[in-house]
Amino acid sequence: MTMSDYQQRVDRWISQFEEGYFEPLTNLARLTEEVGEFAREVNHRFGQKPKKKDEPDADLAMEMADIIFVLICMANREGINLDEAFNAMMTKVETRDANRWTRKSPAP
C-alpha cells in the first residue's frame, strides 16, 4: 500500500463520524501523547528506567502505528499528500547526506 492508500483508508473511517478530524492543536496534543507512549516503552526496554513489576510490555509496532495514524489524520485535514511529501524528503536526505556517513563495503 502507498501512503495515499493509507490516507484514503483513514479518511473513509473518519468520514463516518459527524465530528470529523480534530483541530490542529488537538491533533498535535494527540501526537505528543502517542510519541510519549512510544518513548516510555523504548526507555523501559532500552534505557535506564525499568518498568514496575506489574506493568505490562507495550507493543512497539502498535505504538508506532498510533503515531502514523495521527500524522495521517493531520495530513488529511490539511490536504497534504504524504506520498509527495515523503518522496521530497527522501530526495532531500539522499542529496544532502549522500556522503555524510561511512558507506558499507560491497559484499565479496
Side-chain angles (χ1 to χ4, degrees):
M1 289 179 73
T2 66
M3 292 299 289
S4 292
D5 294 329
Y6 292 126
Q7 284 186 258
Q8 290 171 18
R9 185 174 179 184
V10 168
D11 193 61
R12 281 191 305 272
W13 190 79
I14 295 288
S15 295
Q16 302 176 79
F17 307 104
E18 290 292 328
E19 294 81 2
Y21 290 102
F22 291 141
E23 296 294 320
L25 290 176
T26 301
N27 271 328
L28 180 59
R30 290 183 62 225
L31 179 62
T32 303
E33 290 172 2
E34 297 299 349
V35 170
E37 291 172 12
F38 175 68
R40 179 179 174 83
E41 186 62 23
V42 169
N43 192 29
H44 286 316
R45 289 187 188 196
F46 308 109
Q48 296 176 324
K49 184 181 177 191
K51 281 189 180 248
K52 298 173 189 168
K53 292 187 190 319
D54 61 341
E55 191 174 358
D57 285 341
D59 182 338
L60 279 180
M62 286 300 293
E63 297 301 343
M64 290 180 191
D66 288 343
I67 293 166
I68 293 169
F69 177 81
V70 176
L71 287 172
I72 288 172
C73 287
M74 294 176 82
N76 284 356
R77 186 184 186 288
E78 301 308 314
I80 295 169
N81 180 313
L82 287 174
D83 281 322
E84 291 174 5
F86 187 81
N87 286 330
M89 183 277 308
M90 285 303 299
T91 298
K92 177 184 74 173
V93 298
E94 289 166 345
T95 302
R96 180 190 66 198
D97 299 332
N99 298 307
R100 187 172 184 175
W101 291 281
T102 306
R103 293 200 179 264
K104 292 181 178 180
S105 300

